[in-house]
Amino acid sequence: MALKKVKGNFERMFDKNLTDLVRGIRNNKDNEAKYIAQCIEEIKLELRQDNISVKCNAVAKLTYIQMLGYDISWAGFNIIEVMSSSRFTCKRIGYLAASQCFHPESELLMLTTNMIRKDLNSQNQYDAGVALSGLSCFISPDLSRDLANDIMTLMSSTKPYLRMKAVLMMYKVFLRYPEALRPAFPKLKEKLEDPDPGVQSAAVNVICELARKNPKNYLPLAPVFFKLMTTSTNNWMLIKIIKLFGALTPLEPRLGKKLIEPLTNLIHSTSAMSLLYECINTVIAVLISISSGMPNHSASIQLCVQKLRILIEDSDQNLKYLGLLAMSKILKTHPKSVQEHKDLILACLDDKDESIRLRSLDLLYGMVSKKNLMEIVKRLLGHMERAEGSLYRDELLYKVIEICSQSSYLYVTNFEWYLTVLVELIQLEAGSKHGRLIAEQLLDVAIRVPVVRQFAVNEMTNLLDTFPVSSQSHSMYEVLYAAAWIVGEFSNDLEDAEKTLNILLRPRQLPGHIQGVFVQNVTKIFTRLATTCLESEDVESLIRLCNHVLEKLQTFSSINDIEVQERANSACILIEMLRSQFHVSDSRSELYNKNQTKTSFDIISTDDNKNLAKPLTVIPTFAIEIVQEMALLFDGELIPVAPKAQRKVPLPEGLDLDEWINGPPEDESSNSSQEDKDELFISAAHSEEGTLGKRRKSEELTPEQIERNRMARLIEQSHNPHYLKSLPSVTDGNKQKPASASNSNYNVDQYDNIDDIPISELSLDVPLQIGVKRSDRYLMQEKTINKEKKKHKKSKKSKKTKNKVAYSSSESEDDSKPLHIVNTTMDMPEGVALSDSEDKDSKFDPNDPHRALNIELDIPDLEEPKTRKREAKSAPSNQNNNPVTMSSDTISNKKKEKKKSKEKDSVALKSESIETTEASKTHTKSKTKKKSHNAKNTNLLDISPENEESLAPMSVTVEKQKKDKSHKSKDISGEDYIKKKEKKSKRHHHRYEGKEKKKDSNASSIGGYEEAIGISTPSKEII
Amino acid sequence: MIKAILVFNNHGKPRLSKFYQYFNEDMQQQIIKETFQLVSKREDNVCNFLEGGSLIGGSDYKLIYRHYATLYFVFCVDSSESELGILDLIQVFVETLDKCFENVCELDLIFHADAVHHILAELVMGGMVLQTNMTDILARIEEQNKLVKQEAGISAAPARAVSAVKSMNIPQQIKDIKLPDLPQAIKDLKF
């Protein structure tokens, strides 16, 4: 045997060890893969040998190879062999390999249970330590279940090293096997007061991780942590505790108030930046949580902001980064305090570090005002020109839009400027992924700011004209969608509609849904042109127009996209129909000519005039009617639709959406009703396709039908959530009837107001001076205006109308008229508030292991036994004794108050979810069930200790059932509730037993059972 | 929680990879690659925090790194860790390595990847910080090394001799002449 061992070792000398392998790989840089393949073959041979040292060596090499990206799971069995070696050296190598390549789903793990258990219970603390380290990386639910007890035993090991590791290990066990949390928790809590600082720190660490996801359950531990915080000097632990408090304060504002003082002291005293920073963070969290109630914490805010300023001004980039990060948290609740440091934050925009620039961008949101918006945007655009890296550029673009569009464009004083900025963004950021965002902005501004439409349509015409299709990214094409829609919908504002029409008719390589919009808007512009032709009685040009459009549309109808084809064909047929009328009318008019000595032009015009009076004249009337009906199709003002409007429309009674209306399916008509939240443009195109189909049909329909269709279209548009982008904040008062007449009247009124504002000189632009961006011009212009304004002092007055129109021009009082009005009306079904939030569950992650850990732990807090005792006394005597102040500790008093209120709640809301009321019920003296309670109580008073022992396991199982239930269902059925009451009373009885025993024997040996259900009875409370 | 600890050199070659959440080998390599690309293009005098890395974690995760000579030490952590604390931890880690290897350099990490893992195991366990006190860490490592030595005893002597001779192999020495491998080899001899 010995000989064999020596022989094995001797052979081993000539094996490749890890160093040789590494060296070999380095020597074979050119054909590394081949060399490693060869090595793996050797390793396979080595693994077949009996000698454990050889295997160990092979596994060590495998671990290295794994790091280089090779799968070594095929050696799983050998790794386990090495792990099971009795020698520490091999064991360590084995566990390392296992931790690198095993994972919770590895099937081999079931072979390891007993081996790991043996290691955990090993005499050598390092065997157990190595096993714990390895296990922490690959522990599976099965292993967690089987080993939970062993690890729990290790938590009370005599060796601090093992206690520490075991405590951390328990967290991993909880994640995989949540049932372990309840029985293990009392022990874990004990470890918070462990004599060894390492163990203490580990326990804090674990509870922090647990509490981060389910803070509510750990609130009762606050006093323990509070004590630790004020006594400990271990910065690592302090940081964790302070972070934990940051998570707890939102749930318990009173805790926050208590925290402010010690935290402020720490901020003043500590020299560790990490601790200082975490203190500030938690103070901020506290301030946020109590900001509503207490306004007199300005001193604390001031302190935080000052300290943060010091951080930001520091030359250390890390501190600067963190300072900005924390600032952004303050910004949400105390924007004023942050705005004082605008200079600093704006300076950070120019920092060389991208992380810092990104952070200061976040803050920019709160820094803008009407006065400096243009300035800031100018700087951002400047950055964008210089910046490298698409990520940062995209972020910049996003921020520009975000700060401009916030609160319904509150800070934008000049929308022509804003549109120019958007167009510049399009030109600058050809490759950006935010094309859709810009498109939405263009649409939003054009629709909601009526004054700017004329400018917008001309801008968009230019954009359509100059947009280089080939080089652009796919995403940026979306702006063409918006541009085409704007020029079409607001074609009345077009300066040169014919030019625009030609631009739209230009053949280009674009995605189908955008081409479709092009065709659709060609029809709109055509209609508009045709109407003008009719008005000016210019038949010739109308016919020319028809011919021209027809010819160009042919190219569209041969495009490979079915939707474009359909639209183009419908448009063609429509226009052809119109044209054919003229052919007929021409021949007829010649007949007329013979009778009346007038030119055909005159005849048509007179007919036109006659038409209105008596619609009997046949042929030209038809053409006119066609044009008029076409115009009707596109008539009416479109207003934004609230994003959730569609979902809020109540389903009419008796309407079954799944039922066939007309028997079996024939066509695609259901397109328009389908809701596609994400694909805004695609689905918008779909729905328009639906309406287009109707329009084509409507040609053969009677006027009433047309009218009906038109109404249907309007209603559909008003219910279509895709018609416009959402508004960030609009108050409830904006509920409006869908597409009602009042709306359009209202808009007309706006026009009336604004018509006399001189804007004509603004729209001439386009040829730009070299070196100065177009958007900069507005900035300069504004500056000069401001200068002028300073000359004549004028008082500011902000105007508000009952219609909640946001006037964005408190600074342009010169003519005391709003320059731009943002229309904030939105279509909503009646009785629906915009603020309704229903997306909360979107965060819901079914795979989050922490969900299962949301277990009410019945953590007793410091004064809890006292309360209980008091209640015990008061329960039989009808609760008429006054509450005695048990402790001067305000926190515990507050806790008590809280619990009381909880008790009330639990009485009032019997059928609330278990999770929320469980705790209170545990603590509640059975006010609700006093009678039965007392009855049982008397029975139980004389239960002997043996009986009590026998009862213990039962109640543990009850406990388990209950827990299961709380996992499964939230709503308690009546049955469950009764069961729970029983459980509750059982628990009370036990408490009484304990109490009784205490009284009788002054003994405190009841811990065992009560610990199992999470109730501890500190012996000092015994009378 | 720490999700991953990566050490790679200026060229992106991994020197240590420890994932506390399971990824398969291909994914691990991709993560290392992506992280390297993110980290390596940053200048030395910028801050040590980095958001993102699309592969590992989401917005809750941060990359916190330090650059020492030829090596990047990158920790991927979530928001429950203190940023500055993790920076300190990296410092502790590197200082511990320095103590254990005496003037640690990249070569130590290359040839003793397992030892580096064992050292790391004393700092971080399963993604949670275990110990930050360097004296304690060093004492633990020392005791474990003693155990290993005891176990090796006399039977391992010939193997060590052979490996020492191998370590001195001449062509490699010439190749690595600019790197301080020789002292390392001598140190190995002492064992």
Side-chain angles (χ1 to χ4, degrees):
Chain A
M1 186 63 199
L3 188 74
K4 200 181 166 192
K5 202 175 176 184
V6 171
K7 190 167 161 268
N9 275 325
F10 195 72
E11 278 169 355
R12 201 185 136 207
M13 291 191 314
F14 301 104
D15 285 342
K16 233 180 240 164
N17 64 13
L18 178 59
T19 317
D20 297 328
L21 174 83
V22 175
R23 195 169 287 144
I25 292 174
R26 284 163 67 80
N27 285 339
N28 289 283
K29 278 195 178 109
D30 301 330
N31 47 359
E32 195 183 285
K34 197 179 153 202
Y35 182 79
I36 289 176
Q38 188 194 326
C39 287
I40 289 179
E41 286 311 310
E42 283 171 26
I43 288 168
K44 279 182 181 163
L45 283 179
E46 283 170 30
L47 286 175
R48 269 183 226 137
Q49 290 188 31
D50 282 339
N51 190 316
I52 193 73
S53 305
V54 176
K55 277 185 186 159
C56 179
N57 183 37
V59 167
K61 286 193 279 184
L62 280 179
T63 313
Y64 186 83
I65 290 177
Q66 193 270 347
M67 185 180 75
L68 300 178
Y70 292 85
D71 178 26
I72 60 161
S73 52
W74 50 268
F77 193 76
N78 304 99
I79 291 172
I80 293 176
E81 265 184 300
V82 173
M83 283 157 83
S84 65
S85 158
S86 58
R87 287 172 56 196
F88 175 71
T89 322
C90 297
K91 202 181 280 301
R92 191 160 74 158
I93 289 172
Y95 272 104
L96 174 62
S99 75
Q100 292 294 89
C101 82
F102 286 1
H103 54 93
E105 275 85 47
S106 300
E107 283 177 4
L108 276 172
L109 283 179
M110 57 189 184
L111 299 175
T112 60
T113 316
N114 281 318
M115 181 191 75
I116 295 174
R117 180 173 289 140
K118 207 181 104 209
D119 286 338
L120 290 178
N121 298 323
S122 161
Q123 288 302 305
N124 181 350
Q125 65 166 332
Y126 290 109
D127 280 354
V130 153
L132 283 171
S133 289
L135 191 61
S136 70
C137 293
F138 58 77
I139 192 163
S140 66
D142 286 347
L143 280 177
S144 306
R145 193 191 54 230
D146 298 339
L147 295 173
N149 276 329
D150 300 83
I151 299 167
M152 255 165 78
T153 323
L154 278 183
M155 277 167 80
S156 30
S157 154
T158 51
K159 292 155 186 147
Y161 181 67
L162 286 184
R163 285 207 301 275
M164 182 166 72
K165 285 201 160 188
V167 168
L168 286 185
M169 191 63 224
M170 279 318 283
Y171 177 64
K172 292 282 174 175
V173 174
F174 298 151
L175 282 185
R176 306 265 184 268
Y177 180 63
E179 287 84 347
L181 178 57
R182 193 176 285 263
F185 195 78
K187 227 171 199 178
L188 189 60
K189 194 175 147 264
E190 233 169 62
K191 296 296 152 207
L192 285 175
E193 278 143 9
D194 197 276
D196 184 85
V199 182
Q200 223 177 17
S201 175
V204 170
N205 204 342
V206 170
I207 293 180
C208 285
E209 285 292 342
L210 289 170
R212 207 164 71 91
K213 294 291 165 65
N214 304 304
K216 191 178 74 229
N217 302 341
Y218 299 89
L219 257 181
L221 281 180
V224 185
F225 281 115
F226 193 80
K227 204 176 119 214
L228 275 178
M229 185 178 81
T230 42
T231 53
S232 171
T233 52
N234 178 350
N235 278 353
W236 270 93
M237 202 165 83
L238 279 176
I239 289 174
K240 282 282 172 190
I241 293 173
I242 290 167
K243 266 191 173 282
L244 173 71
F245 276 134
L248 293 183
T249 41
L251 300 166
E252 181 53 281
R254 284 170 301 198
L255 174 66
K257 281 173 205 159
K258 179 86 178 164
L259 278 172
I260 290 250
E261 199 202 327
L263 284 178
T264 331
N265 290 342
L266 265 177
I267 290 176
H268 283 303
S269 64
T270 185
S271 59
M273 275 301 177
S274 44
L275 186 58
L276 171 75
Y277 174 68
E278 294 307 336
C279 286
I280 295 176
N281 251 336
T282 300
V283 170
I284 294 170
V286 169
L287 292 175
I288 290 171
S289 69
I290 59 177
S291 61
S292 50
M294 301 271 291
N296 21 330
H297 281 288
S298 55
S300 312
I301 297 169
Q302 239 21 55
L303 177 70
C304 283
V305 176
Q306 269 167 23
K307 287 282 175 184
L308 287 178
R309 187 178 174 103
I310 294 170
L311 289 185
I312 296 172
E313 279 173 336
D314 201 289
S315 59
D316 185 345
Q317 297 280 319
N318 292 330
L319 298 182
K320 190 174 276 198
Y321 173 89
L322 292 175
L324 290 169
L325 197 64
M327 273 288 193
S328 63
K329 287 178 196 156
I330 302 186
L331 182 66
K332 281 172 203 144
T333 47
H334 301 87
K336 283 236 171 71
S337 336
V338 183
Q339 267 156 12
E340 286 166 27
H341 304 282
K342 199 185 278 176
D343 54 322
L344 196 61
I345 289 155
L346 291 181
C348 288
L349 274 183
D350 295 322
D351 201 280
K352 59 183 184 299
D353 187 347
E354 192 178 297
S355 294
I356 288 176
R357 285 200 304 261
L358 281 172
R359 288 284 70 78
S360 55
L361 274 182
D362 281 350
L363 281 164
L364 214 53
Y365 185 76
M367 295 295 112
V368 289
S369 67
K370 280 172 190 161
K371 278 182 190 141
N372 65 9
L373 179 70
M374 285 188 179
E375 189 82 46
I376 288 176
V377 169
K378 184 189 163 191
R379 284 174 71 170
L380 292 183
L381 289 178
H383 279 297
M384 209 180 278
E385 277 171 14
R386 276 173 273 134
E388 283 172 23
S390 61
L391 186 87
Y392 180 57
R393 289 167 72 102
D394 277 352
E395 186 66 21
L396 271 172
L397 195 157
Y398 182 78
K399 286 294 169 190
V400 168
I401 290 177
E402 188 188 19
I403 59 173
C404 289
S405 63
Q406 63 174 309
S407 326
S408 297
Y409 311 98
L410 180 62
Y411 301 117
V412 178
T413 51
N414 187 335
F415 278 94
E416 290 173 12
W417 164 81
Y418 185 46
L419 280 175
T420 320
V421 167
L422 287 176
V423 172
E424 266 166 21
L425 284 176
I426 294 165
Q427 283 153 358
L428 267 175
E429 281 302 287
S432 171
K433 59 173 190 206
H434 286 306
R436 188 161 285 192
L437 185 69
I438 299 180
E440 281 173 12
Q441 285 290 301
L442 290 173
L443 287 172
D444 199 31
V445 170
I447 291 171
R448 290 173 55 197
V449 189
V451 249
V452 87
R453 277 179 199 161
Q454 190 176 4
F455 181 80
V457 288
N458 294 317
E459 256 327 88
M460 291 304 110
T461 309
N462 284 328
L463 181 67
L464 286 168
D465 194 11
T466 56
F467 192 84
V469 164
S470 55
S471 65
Q472 305 292 318
S473 82
H474 192 78
S475 159
M476 257 314 164
Y477 288 150
E478 300 296 345
V479 299
L480 291 181
Y481 178 107
W485 190 87
I486 290 169
V487 293
E489 186 66 26
F490 306 117
S491 53
N492 287 334
D493 294 316
L494 275 174
E495 271 174 3
D496 187 352
E498 208 159 341
K499 182 185 149 205
T500 313
L501 184 68
N502 285 328
I503 290 169
L504 276 184
L505 282 169
R506 225 181 265 166
R508 8 179 157 205
Q509 291 294 319
L510 285 173
H513 70 281
I514 297 175
Q515 298 251 39
V517 175
F518 272 55
V519 177
Q520 181 73 0
N521 287 290
V522 163
T523 330
K524 288 185 194 168
I525 299 179
F526 171 82
T527 312
R528 188 242 158 177
L529 282 171
T531 318
T532 17
C533 285
L534 282 183
E535 277 163 9
S536 61
E537 301 156 17
D538 188 357
V539 173
E540 209 168 284
S541 53
L542 181 54
I543 293 169
R544 206 177 53 234
L545 185 70
C546 288
N547 290 334
H548 178 65
V549 173
L550 271 178
E551 182 195 333
K552 294 280 186 180
L553 274 180
Q554 295 307 320
T555 49
F556 282 93
S557 56
S558 59
I559 272 171
N560 218 356
D561 189 290
I562 188 87
E563 192 198 323
V564 184
Q565 276 185 29
E566 191 195 344
R567 285 181 189 232
N569 282 329
S570 333
C572 279
I573 288 171
L574 202 59
I575 296 168
E576 233 159 54
M577 228 159 94
L578 180 64
R579 194 176 61 173
S580 64
Q581 297 306 319
F582 285 106
H583 287 310
V584 182
S585 77
D586 278 350
S587 54
R588 293 285 177 97
S589 62
E590 278 161 24
L591 285 176
Y592 273 104
N593 264 341
K594 288 175 186 170
N595 297 333
Q596 304 170 17
T597 52
K598 277 181 181 175
T599 62
S600 58
F601 286 82
D602 286 337
I603 287 171
I604 287 175
S605 68
T606 45
D607 283 342
D608 191 358
N609 291 335
K610 282 176 200 162
N611 280 338
L612 301 172
K614 36 175 184 169
L616 279 170
T617 328
V618 194
I619 304 128
T621 323
F622 220 78
I624 291 158
E625 260 178 15
I626 288 176
V627 173
Q628 277 173 344
E629 276 163 14
M630 277 173 80
L632 267 182
L633 282 177
F634 306 120
D635 197 27
E637 179 81 7
L638 291 172
I639 60 167
V641 179
K644 286 165 191 163
Q646 177 73 67
R647 267 180 283 166
K648 295 284 186 179
V649 177
L651 200 64
E653 244 178 85
L655 174 64
D656 181 8
L657 286 177
D658 297 326
E659 196 183 37
W660 290 114
I661 300 168
N662 287 325
E666 281 175 349
D667 56 4
E668 74 302 320
S669 63
S670 62
N671 271 352
S672 54
S673 66
Q674 112 193 6
E675 199 190 2
D676 228 329
K677 273 166 277 169
D678 305 323
E679 300 289 304
L680 180 132
F681 287 102
I682 309 273
S683 52
H686 275 241
S687 58
E688 271 185 34
E689 186 186 12
T691 52
L692 186 86
K694 277 176 205 158
R695 280 176 202 169
R696 187 174 51 177
K697 267 183 237 150
S698 74
E699 283 320 304
E700 291 95 29
L701 299 176
T702 64
E704 299 115 272
Q705 279 171 314
I706 290 169
E707 182 60 23
R708 219 165 48 212
N709 283 345
R710 193 177 76 86
M711 285 311 292
R713 171 173 172 262
L714 283 176
I715 287 165
E716 188 191 293
Q717 278 172 359
S718 65
H719 289 312
N720 188 341
H722 305 303
Y723 239 82
L724 232 234
K725 184 193 167 280
S726 66
L727 279 180
S729 69
V730 179
T731 44
D732 293 7
N734 285 314
K735 288 171 244 158
Q736 297 241 348
K737 284 169 211 158
S740 67
S742 67
N743 255 336
S744 46
N745 287 344
Y746 167 65
N747 284 320
V748 168
D749 288 345
Q750 280 182 344
Y751 280 125
D752 290 346
N753 275 339
I754 292 141
D755 270 344
D756 33 356
I757 302 170
I759 41 167
S760 53
E761 94 268 30
L762 288 174
S763 52
L764 49 93
D765 65 80
V766 184
L768 46 134
Q769 304 100 312
I770 299 152
V772 182
K773 268 191 262 144
R774 284 194 300 153
S775 56
D776 293 352
R777 260 191 10 202
Y778 294 99
L779 183 60
M780 292 188 245
Q781 188 183 323
E782 178 141 297
K783 274 178 185 161
T784 52
I785 289 173
N786 281 346
K787 267 180 207 161
E788 281 168 23
K789 233 190 301 174
K790 271 169 200 164
K791 285 172 194 166
H792 348 255
K793 282 181 187 171
K794 283 203 173 185
S795 64
K796 281 192 177 181
K797 31 179 177 172
S798 62
K799 284 191 166 186
K800 285 203 173 171
T801 62
K802 52 193 169 178
N803 287 321
K804 298 219 176 174
V805 175
Y807 287 85
S808 52
S809 62
S810 60
E811 287 167 42
S812 60
E813 309 92 338
D814 296 44
D815 46 8
S816 75
K817 265 186 186 161
L819 180 59
H820 291 127
I821 296 167
V822 182
N823 194 346
T824 53
T825 53
M826 287 222 266
D827 271 1
M828 285 291 273
E830 308 246 4
V832 172
L834 257 182
S835 53
D836 283 3
S837 62
E838 46 188 287
D839 297 328
K840 270 183 185 168
D841 50 15
S842 62
K843 287 179 193 162
F844 181 81
D845 176 12
N847 295 323
D848 187 2
H850 291 279
R851 251 164 29 86
L853 281 176
N854 190 358
I855 295 169
E856 190 63 58
L857 288 163
D858 309 340
I859 305 164
D861 35 295
L862 287 185
E863 92 301 348
E864 195 231 338
K866 298 169 198 164
T867 336
R868 212 194 297 149
K869 207 189 314 168
R870 198 183 75 223
E871 283 167 344
K873 274 182 201 161
S874 60
S877 60
N878 252 346
Q879 276 191 320
N880 52 2
N881 48 344
N882 293 328
V884 188
T885 322
M886 299 282 180
S887 147
S888 59
D889 187 347
T890 46
I891 274 214
S892 42
N893 276 339
K894 280 164 192 165
K895 288 265 158 261
K896 235 177 280 169
E897 285 164 28
K898 198 191 152 215
K899 208 169 295 156
K900 273 191 175 174
S901 66
K902 264 194 176 176
E903 283 170 29
K904 278 175 204 159
D905 286 350
S906 66
V907 175
L909 306 163
K910 284 180 188 174
S911 57
E912 244 190 34
S913 66
I914 298 184
E915 272 104 330
T916 49
T917 54
E918 206 173 44
S920 55
K921 278 177 181 153
T922 324
H923 303 309
T924 313
K925 261 308 115 186
S926 47
K927 283 178 191 169
T928 48
K929 291 209 66 183
K930 214 183 292 164
K931 274 191 179 175
S932 69
H933 176 91
N934 284 343
K936 284 195 183 174
N937 189 17
T938 46
N939 286 340
L940 282 158
L941 281 178
D942 45 16
I943 280 181
S944 65
E946 295 94 75
N947 283 348
E948 187 197 323
E949 287 301 312
S950 66
L951 257 170
M954 188 181 107
S955 46
V956 170
T957 53
V958 166
E959 196 65 29
K960 251 187 181 167
Q961 284 170 6
K962 191 173 127 201
K963 212 173 11 170
D964 290 343
K965 233 164 263 163
S966 73
H967 281 300
K968 281 173 199 157
S969 67
K970 279 199 170 179
D971 302 307
I972 312 162
S973 63
E975 213 181 43
D976 282 349
Y977 184 59
I978 292 164
K979 272 188 199 163
K980 216 156 58 95
K981 274 184 181 167
E982 281 168 15
K983 269 176 247 158
K984 196 172 49 180
S985 49
K986 257 181 206 158
R987 207 177 299 155
H988 291 314
H989 304 150
H990 279 286
R991 222 178 275 149
Y992 273 90
E993 286 159 29
K995 176 105 178 103
E996 208 50 41
K997 256 183 89 183
K998 271 184 264 160
K999 274 183 184 166
D1000 290 344
S1001 57
N1002 252 2
S1004 57
S1005 59
I1006 32 111
Y1009 150 66
E1010 292 204 343
E1011 231 170 51
I1013 59 161
I1015 302 167
S1016 74
T1017 316
S1019 51
K1020 60 178 175 175
E1021 291 308 322
I1022 295 158
I1023 304 161
Chain B
M1 284 278 279
I2 300 168
K3 202 168 185 180
I5 296 172
L6 306 172
V7 180
F8 44 74
N9 71 1
N10 287 347
H11 305 290
K13 282 248 176 222
R15 295 302 178 213
L16 173 100
S17 66
K18 184 90 200 164
F19 290 87
Y20 295 105
Q21 183 192 340
Y22 177 71
F23 293 102
N24 66 30
E25 277 76 12
D26 289 342
M27 195 61 189
Q28 291 186 1
Q29 293 302 310
Q30 271 185 45
I31 290 171
I32 295 173
K33 214 175 187 178
E34 190 199 52
T35 315
F36 170 70
Q37 275 163 3
L38 282 173
V39 167
S40 62
K41 68 176 178 212
R42 291 173 65 83
E43 289 167 43
D44 263 355
N45 51 1
V46 298
C47 77
N48 301 55
F49 313 120
L50 206 66
E51 272 125 279
S54 53
L55 295 176
I56 192 163
S59 56
D60 195 35
Y61 285 86
K62 265 202 191 78
L63 297 175
I64 299 176
Y65 74 98
R66 271 184 190 273
H67 190 196
Y68 294 93
T70 59
L71 290 174
Y72 285 99
F73 288 74
V74 186
F75 281 46
C76 177
V77 301
D78 68 11
S79 59
S80 75
E81 300 292 340
S82 147
E83 291 89 347
L84 293 171
I86 294 294
L87 274 183
D88 285 350
L89 185 69
I90 300 178
Q91 186 66 30
V92 170
F93 182 37
V94 174
E95 277 180 37
T96 314
L97 288 176
D98 198 48
K99 287 263 162 57
C100 293
F101 290 110
E102 293 170 32
N103 290 326
V104 67
C105 73
E106 195 185 337
L107 277 178
D108 294 318
L109 268 70
I110 297 172
F111 285 103
H112 302 280
D114 50 346
V116 180
H117 269 295
H118 299 319
I119 293 168
L120 183 61
E122 296 305 316
L123 272 94
V124 179
M125 188 182 124
M128 281 177 292
V129 180
L130 182 69
Q131 180 61 274
T132 52
N133 184 330
M134 209 161 70
T135 15
D136 284 3
I137 296 168
L138 286 171
R140 299 296 174 197
I141 294 164
E142 194 49 44
E143 279 176 55
Q144 292 182 46
N145 285 344
K146 236 184 243 166
L147 257 181
V148 172
K149 249 191 244 174
Q150 265 172 23
E151 281 181 356
I154 293 167
S155 65
R160 273 211 308 277
V162 168
S163 81
V165 172
K166 277 189 202 162
S167 301
M168 281 167 58
N169 79 356
I170 309 305
Q172 183 60 38
Q173 290 298 331
I174 292 165
K175 259 187 191 168
D176 290 342
I177 204 87
K178 59 182 185 298
L179 301 163
D181 203 19
L182 196 59
Q184 184 58 41
I186 292 163
K187 204 170 75 193
D188 281 356
L189 262 181
K190 275 191 294 191
F191 272 91

